[in-house]
Amino acid sequence: KAGVTQTPRYLIKTRGQQVTLSCSPISGHRSVSWYQQTPGQGLQFLFEYFSETQRNKGNFPGRFSGRQFSNSRSEMNVSTLELGDSALYLCASSMDRDNYGYTFGSGTRLTVV
Amino acid sequence: AQRVTQPEKLLSVFKGAPVELKCNYSYSGSPELFWYVQYSRQRLQLLLRHISRESIKGFTADLNKGETSFHLKKPFAQEEDSAMYYCALSGGGNKLVFGAGTILRVKS
C-alpha cells in the first residue's frame, strides 16, 4: 500500500510569506502528526490530529497551525515566515492512540530566504 | 518532563564487532520506547518498539526501568547498519520525543 505522501518536496519562500504543506497518510491511518527537523534542534513535535481534531500540540508559536480533513489528509501552515523556520518538515501517520509506531513521509524541505 | 538522551553523536565500529547505542530517558510514568533509523537518503523508519520485544535486522533493545534506559544492541555489526539512529519516547498520546540521534558508522 502507498506510504505517507508529502507535497511539495521542496519549497523556497521569502521572509514574511506564508506556506502550506500537505500530507496524505497511509490509508486507514487516522492519526497524523507533524515534526520539524533541524540540525540544531533535531526532531521536534509540532502537533497531532486525529479525526479532524488537534489532540496534542508542541511548543511552537501560533504562526504554526494545522488541520485535518475528513479523509485524514492533513495540512500545516506557517505564517509570517522567519529564517529560523527553514527545516525539514516531516509528517507521520499511525492507526490510532495505541502507538503501533509511526510511518513517516519523506518530508518537505522548506528554505526561507 | 519527557526527555530522551543519546550521549553519543557518533559511534564507529568495525564490521563484525558488537554494537550498543545508548538511550536514556526521563519520564515519570510508563513510557513507550522506540528506535527509529534513517539510512542515507531514505525516510525515517521504525526499527523496533519495546512493547513488541522483537528483533529486527538482528537488533534488540530492552527497557530497563530501574536505569531508565533503552539501549539498542546488535552482536555483530554489518556495513549496511550504517545510519542515523534515533531513540524516541511516547508518554501517552501520539506524541514522540526524540533524542538527538547517534550516527553509526560500520567500517570494513
Side-chain angles (χ1 to χ4, degrees):
Chain A
K1 57 184 177 182
V4 178
T5 304
Q6 291 188 246
T7 56
R9 291 294 307 276
Y10 302 93
L11 268 177
I12 300 177
K13 292 286 187 179
T14 57
R15 278 179 296 176
Q17 287 188 310
Q18 76 165 21
V19 66
T20 298
L21 313 181
S22 179
C23 171
S24 293
I26 289 174
S27 178
H29 284 193
R30 295 166 64 192
S31 170
V32 174
S33 299
W34 290 88
Y35 291 81
Q36 182 195 65
Q37 186 175 27
T38 59
Q41 299 298 318
L43 282 152
Q44 292 186 289
F45 173 78
L46 280 155
F47 28 65
E48 184 231 352
Y49 287 87
F50 183 86
S51 293
E52 302 178 65
T53 300
Q54 187 182 87
R55 282 201 305 200
N56 282 293
K57 190 176 190 306
N59 295 325
F60 279 82
R63 300 185 297 107
F64 291 81
S65 63
R67 59 177 175 168
Q68 186 180 34
F69 302 96
S70 58
N71 62 358
S72 293
R73 191 177 71 84
S74 177
E75 289 181 346
M76 70 162 279
N77 185 277
V78 188
S79 62
T80 319
L81 284 166
E82 301 177 359
L83 295 178
D85 297 333
S86 295
L88 181 66
Y89 290 88
L90 295 172
C91 168
S93 74
S94 68
M95 279 191 277
D96 55 27
R97 198 182 267 273
D98 292 340
N99 269 319
Y100 289 102
Y102 287 103
T103 302
F104 280 83
S106 297
T108 294
R109 172 76 61 185
L110 172 65
T111 302
V112 183
V113 296
Chain B
Q2 301 173 20
R3 180 173 292 176
V4 176
T5 302
Q6 293 180 252
E8 303 138 329
K9 291 187 74 172
L10 171 66
L11 181 64
S12 189
V13 302
F14 283 101
K15 178 181 170 183
V19 172
E20 183 179 51
L21 298 169
K22 292 184 167 50
C23 172
N24 289 91
Y25 67 90
S26 174
Y27 182 64
S28 56
S30 294
E32 288 265 0
L33 274 299
F34 304 84
W35 277 98
Y36 281 83
V37 61
Q38 190 166 31
Y39 300 101
S40 179
R41 287 184 287 278
Q42 293 188 28
R43 62 183 67 188
L44 196 61
Q45 55 188 284
L46 178 66
L47 183 61
L48 55 79
R49 52 194 292 251
H50 89 271
I51 201 168
S52 303
R53 301 187 66 82
E54 57 196 343
S55 172
I56 304 293
K57 299 184 180 183
F59 285 98
T60 59
D62 289 318
L63 178 60
N64 186 323
K65 292 187 177 180
E67 296 181 359
T68 59
S69 68
F70 188 57
H71 303 327
L72 184 68
K73 299 177 184 179
K74 185 170 183 177
F76 307 104
Q78 298 173 301
E79 288 182 71
E80 54 265 35
D81 296 328
S82 295
M84 172 73 96
Y85 291 80
Y86 293 96
C87 181
L89 172 155
S90 174
N94 283 351
K95 170 187 173 181
L96 289 174
V97 176
F98 284 89
T102 298
I103 298 170
L104 174 63
R105 287 206 186 119
V106 182
K107 301 176 287 188
S108 57

